[in-house]
């Protein structure tokens, strides 16, 4: 327990981190702003929050906790009221006999410690937490917990009770508030998907962040139906239908951002599973230079999209960023003197000046049907969300040969095998060789967290791998793990690519229907850089790690 009562400012001055004059300036400004002194010093850029935390660890012997990682005892949350938690920026973590371990943004706030001791009846043992972590965690445990408690209180014995489910249509109902808080949390951590997973004894809420799923919280099993019903209402789906899959969408504003949410509901043995994909409608405003291409790959891609006609293919598995690459190309090509029409399933982002068509297979509006129709709309540029069948592939390639620039996606492991995939679908080799302009293959890898990145010394085998490709290892980095990246060492994602331009010799080889290995051997001799090597190049620059490149490539 802290014996001598000092202010954070005194400790910083004693440690020569700030001067007396800077402290006085901060105290004067604090009177006007009402902020805590530590927050005021950070706000004025006099000192960084990490410096304050490190000083408190050294000078007072206090431990620092990562609230994103800490296993908080949920039963203790109600020991400290939400009002006090927000007022003092504190959170109960663990009970040890008559002591209560409490995370605090300001462990030198003795008024808070005394207040907590009197209100809880425990001796308070403070540990240090970051302000942002505290705010996110308080919102997670208190804001949502209040809605959960209210829902459980009102929950009827029959969780399918029509009157209760109907009441959830009210935007002020506890379940409505809970879903809103859940989506706000997902947006805050840049989650791409939210999963509501029903299990035998519980319902799990999981977020996909940077391509990796993590469990956010566990809810009582009987809350699954009411959660799913609320999401169906928001998505304008049939609440009564629980035997068949359903798909829908809705829009929502979170923290001044507009999100388009695609909803998929799937019946399972333990209840209906929901996956919601969050699409930030403002996040597609990228330039080609921001797609993460290497200098050579960017030049190849720009050359592809500068063609007046032909087909450009972007390949990769689901979730590899193909749509972002296509939308970026469309934005680059979107001028008032061209007519651009797309056929998509679904339309992910709406772009001004482009005519976008939604596929509706249940009424016969397939990719092939949509493509036939738009060819009568005098298009200059066509974008197809995906080539799924022979009919769509053949119409696309013939459109590319008759003066249209066509952009589409294909599911293949690399760029070279895209040629064989089209031929395997039944397309004549001469049609493939004549129509295809180029292929981009890509994967997404996680970026090393900039906040906790530190130099990494590769093993001898790793050094040999990089040296064999003419790459250095001096700038390699790995994330140590911190609160900013949820202790993963990664934050954000980037693409690794390979680009294949079809030249006259390769066209001739395609008409002979050779093996992929023959195509690859030829283009390698022409300077083709495989995706794996592009990944290695980005590892050598400290952008990602070797483990990530191995994870997403087929090498």
């Amino acid at each position: 327990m802290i014996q001598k009562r000092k202010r954070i400012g005194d400790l910083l001055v004693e440690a020569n981190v700030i001067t007396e004059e800077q402290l006085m300036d901060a105290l004067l400004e604090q009177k006007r702003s009402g902020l805590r002194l530590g927050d005021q010093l950070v706000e004025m850029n006099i000192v960084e929050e990490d410096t304050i935390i490190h000083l408190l660890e050294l000078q007072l012997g206090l431990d620092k906790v990562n609230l994103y990682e800490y296993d908080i005892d949920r039963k203790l949350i109600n020991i400290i009221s939400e009002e006090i938690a927000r007022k003092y920026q504190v959170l109960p973590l663990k009970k040890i006999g008559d002591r209560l371990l409490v995370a605090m943004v300001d462990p030198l706030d003795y008024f808070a410690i005394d207040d907590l001791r009197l209100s809880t009846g425990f001796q308070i043992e403070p540990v240090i937490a970051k302000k942002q972590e505290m705010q996110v965690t308080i919102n997670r445990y208190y804001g949502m917990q209040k809605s959960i408690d209210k829902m459980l209180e009102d929950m009827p014995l029959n969780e399918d009770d029509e009157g209760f489910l109907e009441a959830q249509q009210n935007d002020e109902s506890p379940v409505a508030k809970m879903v809103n808080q859940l989506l706000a949390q997902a947006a805050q951590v840049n989650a791409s998907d939210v999963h509501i997973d029903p299990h035998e004894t519980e319902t799990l809420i999981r977020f996909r962040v940077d391509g990796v799923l993590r469990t956010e919280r566990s809810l009582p099993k009987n809350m699954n139906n009411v959660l799913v019903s609320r999401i169906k209402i928001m998505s304008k789906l049939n609440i009564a239908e629980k035997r068949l899959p359903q798909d829908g969408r809705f829009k929502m504003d979170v923290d001044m951002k507009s999100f388009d949410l695609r909803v998929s509901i799937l019946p399972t043995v333990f209840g209906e599973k929901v996956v919601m994909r969050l699409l930030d409608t403002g996040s597609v405003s990228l330039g080609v230079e921001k797609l993460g291409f290497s200098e050579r790959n960017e030049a190849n891609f720009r050359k592809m999209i500068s063609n007046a006609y032909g087909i450009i293919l972007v390949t990769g598995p689901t979730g590899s960023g193909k749509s972002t690459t296509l939308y970026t190309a469309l934005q680059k090509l979107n001028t008032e003197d061209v007519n651009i029409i797309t056929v998509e399933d679904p339309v992910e982002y709406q772009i001004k000046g482009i005519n976008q068509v939604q596929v509706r297979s249940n009424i016969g509006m397939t990719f092939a049907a949509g493509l036939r129709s738009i060819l009568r709309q005098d298009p200059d540029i066509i974008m197809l969300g995906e080539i799924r069948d022979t009919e769509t592939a053949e119409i696309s390639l013939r459109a590319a040969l008759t003066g249209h620039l066509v952009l589409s996606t294909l599911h293949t492991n690399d760029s070279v095998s895209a040629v064989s995939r089209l031929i395997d679908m039944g397309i004549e080799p001469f049609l493939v060789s004549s129509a295809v302009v180029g292929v981009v293959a890509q994967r997404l890898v996680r970026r090393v967290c900039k906040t906790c990145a530190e130099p990494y010394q590769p093993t001898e085998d790793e050094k040999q791998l990089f040296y064999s490709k003419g790459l250095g290892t001096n700038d390699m980095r790995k994330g140590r793990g911190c609160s900013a990246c949820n202790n993963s060492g990664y934050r954000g994602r980037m693409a690794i690519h390979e680009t294949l331009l079809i030249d006259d010799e390769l066209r001739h080889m395609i008409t002979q229907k050779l093996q992929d290995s023959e195509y690859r051997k030829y283009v390698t001799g022409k300077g083709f850089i495989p995706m794996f090597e592009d990944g290695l190049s980005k590892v050598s620059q400290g952008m990602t790690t070797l483990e990530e490149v191995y994870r997403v490539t087929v090498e």
Side-chain angles (χ1 to χ4, degrees), residues 420 423 508-519:
S420 299
I423 293 172
H508 178 66
M509 294 173 71
I510 292 169
T511 58
Q512 297 178 56
K513 203 176 177 180
L514 302 179
Q515 296 294 317
D516 285 352
S517 56
E518 294 295 322
Y519 302 143

Side-chain angles (χ1 to χ4, degrees), residues 79-260:
I79 285 180
I80 296 175
S81 70
E82 181 179 357
E83 182 184 1
I84 289 178
R86 293 190 185 278
K87 178 181 177 182
Y88 295 125
Q89 291 289 285
V90 298
L91 198 72
L93 301 179
K94 188 188 292 183
K95 188 171 68 172
I96 312 161
D98 66 343
R99 292 177 297 130
L100 185 66
L101 191 68
V102 177
M104 304 183 70
V105 169
D106 183 2
L108 293 177
D109 187 341
Y110 303 108
F111 292 110
I113 292 173
D114 288 342
D115 199 349
L116 288 170
R117 180 173 54 80
L118 291 169
S119 63
T120 64
F122 289 95
Q123 292 299 316
I124 304 302
E125 187 171 314
V127 291
I128 316 165
K130 280 193 166 186
K131 183 180 178 181
Q132 184 184 2
E133 289 178 29
M134 181 65 74
Q135 290 173 340
V136 170
T137 310
I138 285 175
N139 286 338
R140 178 186 300 170
Y141 283 91
Y142 283 99
M144 192 174 293
Q145 193 61 45
K146 190 182 291 184
S147 299
I148 292 171
D149 292 343
K150 179 63 176 167
M151 280 174 64
L152 291 173
E153 183 184 312
D154 296 342
M155 191 83 73
L157 291 175
N158 175 13
E159 57 196 69
D160 292 327
D161 182 275
E162 287 186 15
F164 178 71
L165 294 179
E166 191 175 327
Q168 307 319 308
Q169 296 186 42
N170 185 346
D171 290 343
E172 295 303 314
S173 64
V175 67
K177 291 178 180 177
M178 181 184 170
V179 171
N180 291 345
Q181 288 160 352
L182 184 67
L183 294 175
Q185 283 180 23
Q188 202 165 29
V189 296
N190 294 318
S192 60
D193 301 86
V194 175
H195 290 234
I196 299 175
D197 282 346
H199 292 265
E200 187 172 9
T201 59
E202 62 183 348
T203 293
L204 296 182
I205 306 294
R206 301 200 290 168
F207 291 168
R208 187 177 294 280
V209 180
D210 295 335
V212 178
L213 268 176
R214 71 184 198 210
T215 299
E216 189 67 14
R217 69 184 301 139
S218 170
L219 299 174
K221 176 73 173 71
N222 62 350
M223 289 182 63
N224 188 71
N225 275 1
V226 69
L227 267 177
V228 174
S229 294
R230 175 60 192 173
I231 291 165
K232 285 180 178 178
I233 289 165
M234 296 172 77
S235 311
K236 295 181 172 55
L237 298 176
N238 184 357
I239 300 177
E241 180 55 75
K242 298 185 178 183
R243 301 161 301 168
L244 297 173
Q246 295 189 66
D247 294 308
R249 66 193 306 165
F250 63 92
K251 291 187 176 181
M252 184 175 181
D253 290 336
V254 179
D255 292 336
M256 306 297 287
K257 285 185 177 180
S258 180
F259 286 89
D260 195 356

Side-chain angles (χ1 to χ4, degrees), residues 268-419:
T268 72
V269 290
F270 294 122
E272 291 177 285
K273 173 181 167 64
V274 178
V275 176
M276 293 181 282
R277 170 151 290 185
L278 282 75
L279 299 168
D280 181 353
T281 54
S283 67
V284 77
S285 300
L286 296 172
V288 174
E289 66 282 353
K290 293 181 181 178
L291 288 176
F293 282 118
S294 66
E295 189 175 339
R296 180 188 178 90
N297 284 337
E298 183 178 332
N300 285 347
F301 184 65
R302 288 184 183 276
K303 187 173 181 180
M304 289 179 200
I305 63 176
S306 67
N307 280 273
Y309 60 89
I311 187 167
I312 300 164
L313 297 170
V314 182
T315 76
T318 301
S320 59
K322 301 188 297 295
S323 294
T324 299
T325 301
L326 285 179
Y327 279 118
T328 302
L330 288 182
Q331 285 189 321
K332 174 71 176 172
L333 297 168
N334 188 15
T335 57
E336 63 178 21
D337 57 345
V338 294
N339 179 22
I340 303 177
I341 307 179
T342 74
V343 184
E344 305 171 62
D345 183 23
V347 175
E348 293 190 11
Y349 300 100
Q350 294 175 8
I351 304 176
K352 186 178 179 181
I354 294 178
N355 305 285
Q356 296 172 270
V357 178
Q358 169 73 51
V359 166
R360 298 187 189 278
S361 301
N362 58 328
I363 58 170
M365 183 58 178
T366 60
F367 276 112
L371 185 52
R372 280 199 200 90
S373 297
I374 66 176
L375 284 172
R376 295 191 288 271
Q377 289 282 316
D378 186 31
D380 297 292
I381 299 168
I382 299 166
M383 193 270 270
L384 277 177
E386 185 184 345
I387 293 178
R388 295 178 179 173
D389 53 62
T390 303
E391 186 182 13
T392 307
E394 188 161 355
I395 300 169
S396 301
L397 268 67
R398 292 195 183 279
L401 285 176
T402 54
H404 305 91
L405 181 64
V406 181
L407 294 86
S408 190
T409 69
L410 202 60
H411 287 286
T412 63
N413 285 329
D414 55 39
S415 57
V416 175
S417 58
V419 169

Side-chain angles (χ1 to χ4, degrees), residues 10-26:
D10 298 330
L11 287 174
L12 290 166
V13 171
E14 286 176 16
N16 295 318
V17 175
I18 65 173
T19 65
E20 286 279 4
E21 291 76 16
Q22 287 175 319
L23 176 58
M24 294 307 297
D25 289 344

